[in-house]
Amino acid sequence: MVRLSNNLVGIVNIITFIISIPIIGGGIWLSKQANTECERFLEKPIIALGIFVMLISLAGLIGSCCRVSCFLWIYLVIMFLLIILIFCFTIFAFVVTNKGAGQVLSGRGYKEYRLGDYSNWLQKRVNNHWGKIESCLQDSKICKTLMDDGDNKVEDFYKKHLSALQSGCCKPSNDCNFTYVSTTNNPDCNLWSNDPNVLCYTCESCKAGLLDNIKSDWKRVAILNIIFLVFLILVYSVGCCAFRNNRRHDSYKRYP
C-alpha cells in the first residue's frame, strides 16, 4: 500500500509522456506543411504544449518511481498552479460566453448575428486582431461551398442552414434585403461586396459570427475543463501521498 500512490503517479506520467510525443510531432509536422500564416500560428503553441507535458511527466516519473523528492515537489507545485489556472479560466470562460446568441429569422434556415450582443471583452479582442483573423477567414474559403452549390433562386438560399461564420461573412445582413436601395441603420450594408475576396469579411456580422463560434467552443472547453479538473485533483492528491512516502523513505535511510 505504501508504494501504491507512487506506482499510480508513475503510470499516469508514463501515459502523459507517451501522449506528449505525438503532440510535439504534430507541431513539427504542421511547421513543415503549413502554407499560410494562419496554419503556422498553431505550430509554436502545439510544440510548446508537447514539451511542457513531456517535462512535467518526466518530473513526476522520476519523483515517484525513483523517489527523488525534489522532482516530485516541483511536479506537485506545477500541478497545483495548473489546477488554479484551469479553475480560473473555466469560471472566466462561463462569464464571457454568457451573453450573445443568434437571432432566429422567420422563413430562414439561418440566424442573424449582432456584434453588440456579445461580451465587451470578446468584442475588444476580436476588433484588435481583426486584420489577421479576416485574412485567415479568407484563406479558409468558408464561403466557397456556398458559391459551389450554385443555388440561383433566393428562395433556395433562404432555406439553407448556414454556420454562424457563413451567415455573418458570406452574405449581406437580412436588413439589406440582398439589394441595396438606400442607406439603412445597418452599417454592414455599405460594407458588402459581390467580390468573392471581399464579401462581408469586414462586416460586424462576420465578427459576430466568429464570436458565436468562439462562444460555443469555449463553453465546450469549459465543460471539458471541469472533467479535467477532477482528474488533476485526484492525481494531485495521489501525488501528495507519494511525496509523503518519499519523505518517510528518506527519513528511514537517514536513521537506520
Side-chain angles (χ1 to χ4, degrees):
M1 286 298 292
V2 175
R3 299 264 319 167
L4 180 61
S5 56
N6 292 69
N7 291 337
L8 285 174
V9 173
I11 291 168
V12 168
N13 283 285
I14 288 172
I15 294 170
T16 54
F17 180 84
I18 293 170
I19 290 172
S20 71
I21 296 172
I23 293 175
I24 295 172
I28 295 171
W29 177 86
L30 193 60
S31 69
K32 303 293 183 184
Q33 299 295 320
N35 296 316
T36 67
E37 184 182 349
C38 306
E39 292 171 330
R40 283 191 292 271
F41 171 76
L42 292 172
E43 143 204 342
K44 290 179 182 177
I46 289 174
I47 293 174
L49 175 64
I51 292 172
F52 173 77
V53 172
M54 180 175 282
L55 291 176
I56 193 174
S57 299
L58 280 173
L61 197 58
I62 294 170
S64 60
C65 295
C66 301
R67 292 186 177 277
V68 182
S69 296
C70 63
F71 277 90
L72 195 55
W73 183 83
I74 292 170
Y75 173 79
L76 290 173
V77 169
I78 294 172
M79 287 286 285
F80 178 77
L81 294 175
L82 196 59
I83 288 169
I84 298 298
L85 182 65
I86 293 175
F87 176 78
C88 292
F89 173 77
T90 302
I91 299 298
F92 177 74
F94 277 118
V95 170
V96 298
T97 59
N98 192 43
K99 290 177 62 180
Q103 298 176 3
V104 178
L105 300 174
S106 177
R108 303 288 190 270
Y110 51 82
K111 296 179 181 179
E112 286 275 284
Y113 299 88
R114 302 280 185 267
L115 185 61
D117 293 342
Y118 295 87
S119 157
N120 290 330
W121 186 88
L122 285 177
Q123 288 183 50
K124 288 178 182 177
R125 300 288 84 72
V126 167
N127 282 325
N128 290 342
H129 300 92
W130 188 250
K132 287 186 178 180
I133 295 171
E134 182 184 347
S135 174
C136 292
L137 290 174
Q138 290 170 338
D139 288 340
S140 70
K141 303 187 187 304
I142 57 168
C143 300
K144 191 175 184 298
T145 53
L146 296 179
M147 300 175 191
D148 292 343
D149 286 346
D151 290 328
N152 296 320
K153 294 182 179 180
V154 175
E155 293 80 10
D156 293 335
F157 183 79
Y158 284 160
K159 296 175 184 176
K160 279 185 174 295
H161 294 281
L162 307 180
S163 68
L165 278 173
Q166 287 176 325
S167 176
C169 306
C170 306
K171 66 171 187 61
S173 170
N174 193 63
D175 296 342
C176 309
N177 294 318
F178 284 92
T179 303
Y180 181 81
V181 177
S182 61
T183 304
T184 71
N185 291 327
N186 192 328
D188 287 352
C189 299
N190 296 321
L191 298 173
W192 166 259
S193 171
N194 286 321
D195 183 342
N197 294 316
V198 179
L199 298 177
C200 216
Y201 287 121
T202 56
C203 298
E204 289 196 350
S205 62
C206 190
K207 297 175 184 179
L210 176 71
L211 286 180
D212 197 76
N213 270 18
I214 292 173
K215 174 187 172 182
S216 299
D217 291 343
W218 276 32
K219 281 204 167 178
R220 291 190 195 101
V221 169
I223 292 168
L224 288 174
N225 277 351
I226 293 171
I227 299 170
F228 188 48
L229 264 176
V230 173
F231 172 75
L232 282 181
I233 291 169
L234 288 173
V235 173
Y236 179 77
S237 301
V238 175
C240 289
C241 294
F243 184 71
R244 283 199 298 270
N245 290 341
N246 282 7
R247 295 294 295 272
R248 288 198 198 100
H249 183 263
D250 291 342
S251 64
Y252 290 152
K253 287 173 66 178
R254 204 172 298 160
Y255 305 105

